[in-house]
Amino acid sequence: MLDGSTETLLFGTEFAMLFVDVLEVALKTLIVAVELRQIRRAQAQNEDEGAGLEGKFIYEMVSELLCRCVKVGLHSILLFSLSMPVMVMKDLVWDSLAIFQTSRLIWKTLRSYKQIDEKLPTVSRSELESTDEKMCIVCMDDMLPADEVSHPRLK
């Protein structure tokens, strides 16, 4: 049978885990709300270029990573303060594995973004006028000369 302080610690950490889950959903909802706001603002100004939240995937993955780190901390508290290492160790291993996979995915995505930015050339007005191709083969959008680019991530 568990004593009062152990029960309090168990229930407290379980409620903290649930709170972290709610926090993760709230963060992802906030990201979507920011994206919708940007889309509405772009539609109101009759701009289609750059509508939405660039890097939304990265923001969602970072919020998931942060919440997983908090869960690992909570599981560590349980592991070191209670004598139930097998029950808590399973959750600790799964969360640590998820942290590794998520951070690896974020790293690969950021690295591929950087490689694409480095490999895509910046088109000058004279180069654009001398060719028949006016569409980017990557994003399928109209190409603009460097002096007309409104967003730094657009080339």
Side-chain angles (χ1 to χ4, degrees), residues 27-39 50-64 105-106 109-110 113 153:
L27 285 172
K28 288 184 178 182
T29 303
L30 180 66
I31 292 168
V32 171
V34 168
E35 181 183 35
L36 286 174
R37 184 172 180 235
Q38 287 184 351
I39 290 172
L53 184 62
E54 186 173 340
K56 175 184 172 187
F57 175 74
I58 296 293
Y59 296 136
E60 288 177 341
M61 288 293 108
V62 167
S63 68
E64 181 180 332
L105 181 63
I106 290 171
T109 304
L110 289 175
Y113 284 174
R153 300 266 308 163

Side-chain angles (χ1 to χ4, degrees), residues 94-150:
W94 281 116
D95 285 338
S96 299
L97 201 71
I99 286 173
F100 173 74
Q101 289 173 341
T102 303
S103 58
R104 191 170 155 214
L105 181 63
I106 290 171
W107 173 254
K108 283 183 175 182
T109 304
L110 289 175
R111 193 178 64 198
S112 68
Y113 284 174
K114 183 179 178 186
Q115 287 174 349
I116 288 173
D117 281 344
E118 289 172 353
K119 290 182 181 182
L120 286 177
T122 302
V123 181
S124 67
R125 183 175 298 282
S126 61
E127 290 173 334
L128 193 58
E129 289 173 356
S130 67
T131 184
D132 292 336
E133 292 297 320
K134 306 287 187 209
M135 184 181 294
C136 175
I137 62 171
V138 175
C139 65
M140 305 304 284
D141 203 0
D142 293 333
M143 288 195 288
L144 298 172
D147 57 348
E148 289 183 25
V149 173
S150 61

